Amino acid sequence: MILRLLAYGVLVVGPDWRVLYANPEAERMFGSKGTTLWERCPALEQTAFAAGFRYAMADRTELLSESSLPAIGWCQARARPTPDGGLLISMRQVNAHTIETGQAKTALVMAEIGDALTREESLRSALVRCAQAMVRQLDAALVRIWTVDHDAGELTLCGSAGIETGDPQQNVLKLGEHKVGIIAEDGDPYLTNDAATDLHIGRTAWIRSERIVAFAGYPLRIQDRIVGVMALYSRNKIDHDMLNSLSSIADAIALGIDRKTADVARRHAEDRLRKQAGYLEVLHILGQQLAAVLDVEVLVQKVIDAATRLAGAQLGVFFYNLPNEFMLYAISGAPREAFDKLAVPRSTTLLAPTFIEQKVVRIDDLRASEQYGRTGPHFGLPPEHPPITSYLAVPVTGRDRKRIGALMFGHERVGAFTAETQRLIEGIASTAAIAMDNARLFREAHELIAALEKSNRELDQFAYVASHDLKAPLRGIANLAQWIEDDLEGQLNDQTREHLHLLRGRVSRLEYLIAGILAYSRAGRDRGEVERIDVGRLVKETWELLAPPPTAKLVVEPNLPVLMTSRTQLQQIVMNLMSNAVKYNPGRELVIDVGMNKRGRQYEFFVADNGVGIAPEYHEKIWGLFQTLERRDKVESTGIGLSIVRKIVESLGGTTRVESRPDAGATFFFTWPAELDGESST
């Protein structure tokens, strides 16, 4: 009952600012409608009381503050924490002269300005609160705050409070225009207590009608940089104490503008970085996908889906060409049925620069573009076409400027595509061109491989048929020669007998030659089954198959490895090299040495002999087809064995070579892939 009779307001709030009790005077000051303190008195947010009450609540400490409460006037408030976590607030109205006038008012304004510049998210809302605080605390008629854009040479009104001027032209001023623009340009403050007759500040009729007496304009300066201008109009003269206050206030607002601007720039930079990071992530994923995709239809769909998303387009289309195909397309952002009824794009004034001249076209508003609507029969978009206002088209160009197609995007909004969007899509177009070139090369390679496999099959069939058809009459000739010799036994002279012997020898050589050609045609292609091979044991088994003469001896080095490889191919090489050594050194005490040297991921095997050797000028010739160094009448040879060796080795990515001198033996080297190492054989 006593609280209801008190001449000052008493109000109790809970930890959630819910009003638990308010006496009649508190209801007069704060209002009676609303659940929380802030709902009852929204104007509190614009005073120093708001920051003080929150501080007392958070730190659980008693706080005394003074400020001006709208519609009430100067007030003094005391906030005490309550045991339940709330506050007991008492507030009484006081006369202005009871406050320590100038310094107190400046302190109150500075507190509200600091709170506004700290708590408000946007610079505009913060400067509006700063202007309102100056009007309320300094009894100003009008306060305005502009920010400066030196690049544009303009000032923009960001905060205003007090009476209206009815002059919207002052929302944006040029540097040097009006007294405010001159202050921003020169950096000098300006004060007059005779505003009605001062022509520098202009708007004489308004000043007289509103009985404006004083004007104070201050540059908002950060070191040697002007960030804005603050202007105050008052119906009272501005004294020395007020000037000092305005100078301090201007410094505080300038610092706040600088910090807010820096925060905005930082947030914009962070937004750009996040956007760029998102772009890079999409491009990275797209690059990985394109590297793994060789199907053109799948590839172009992935490209247009990613590009449409990055461009922020409502519609994206990738038109492209393939050999022996009409123009194809992939679409994103709309059902394909929306384009199925439309004709193939023609060389219109809008499309030709991209399709024909391979130029980028970006238009903010198609309806206002000279390139749009000049070609019949539609003179614009066909009736069934999705609506487009913004337009972006980027050519996709392959190697040697070869035209592949074009990426095209649309949006209903004007100016949807920026220069940054254009650069981004140009990068995607380059990536897409590379991927499509690779897909084309892959397809062509597969076609060539298929054609080669078909040719090889036909060659194998031909070689088999030719071998069979040629060997049959050769065997008949050999048999016929033998029958003639048998039938004329005792009647042949030595010369005729020698001729028949030579005939059978030539037939036998031709059979070997046919077999050698057949083996050469298959060398390197028929690798056989891969199995675990002990190379040392393979060499010994091959030597036994050769049935060498007693004068020939084999030495197998102990370091020969165990490999996972093709037995057929490796044995064919070893047999050819060892048989050549035996063949070209008849009757000689011959030692053949087989060993190995490790060369990174390959083994280099060697087959060495101590035979007649080979002159250096023949070191390369001997690898050729049908090449022999001895007359065939002296040494029976087809000249194909070493050609087969080289062909098999090179088919596996290896190399062959020989080191030899006349009468100093010969060493043949060949490399072989080390697919699986095992323990060395002994």
Side-chain angles (χ1 to χ4, degrees), residues 112 183 301 361 399 419 435 447 497 544 560 564 576 593 623 631 653 671 679:
E112 289 196 41
I183 293 172
Q301 190 62 55
V361 176
R399 295 178 177 89
E447 292 172 354
R497 191 175 290 107
E544 292 175 0
L560 293 181
M564 286 296 294
N576 273 323
D593 186 11
W623 300 100
R631 291 183 296 104
T671 58
E679 296 181 0

Side-chain angles (χ1 to χ4, degrees), residues 26 41 50 100 141 173 203 208 219 254 269 279 298 333 355 376-377 400 427 458 470 501 548 554 619 640:
C41 188
E100 301 252 352
L173 297 174
R203 296 186 297 166
R208 289 176 178 173
Y279 289 163
V298 176
F355 281 119
D400 301 325
E458 293 173 350
L470 289 174
H501 176 71
L554 175 67
H619 284 186
I640 295 177

Side-chain angles (χ1 to χ4, degrees), residues 422-435:
Q422 177 180 322
R423 288 191 296 270
L424 184 65
I425 299 303
E426 285 175 338
I428 292 180
S430 298
T431 302
I434 294 172

Side-chain angles (χ1 to χ4, degrees), residues 296-321:
V296 173
E297 187 173 347
V298 176
L299 186 150
V300 296
Q301 190 62 55
K302 288 184 178 294
V303 168
I304 194 58
D305 287 342
T308 304
R309 185 165 66 254
L310 290 177
Q314 291 177 326
L315 175 67
V317 184
F318 189 168
F319 292 102
Y320 62 100
N321 294 302

Side-chain angles (χ1 to χ4, degrees), residues 331-370:
I331 187 170
S332 183
R336 191 176 180 90
E337 295 76 21
F339 278 73
D340 283 344
K341 297 180 181 179
L342 301 180
V344 175
R346 297 174 296 112
S347 181
T348 64
T349 53
L350 180 65
L351 302 181
T354 304
F355 281 119
I356 307 301
E357 303 171 33
Q358 301 185 44
K359 293 181 179 179
V360 177
V361 176
R362 178 165 59 92
I363 300 174
D364 290 337
D365 189 346
L366 276 177
R367 297 163 297 185
S369 172
E370 294 182 354

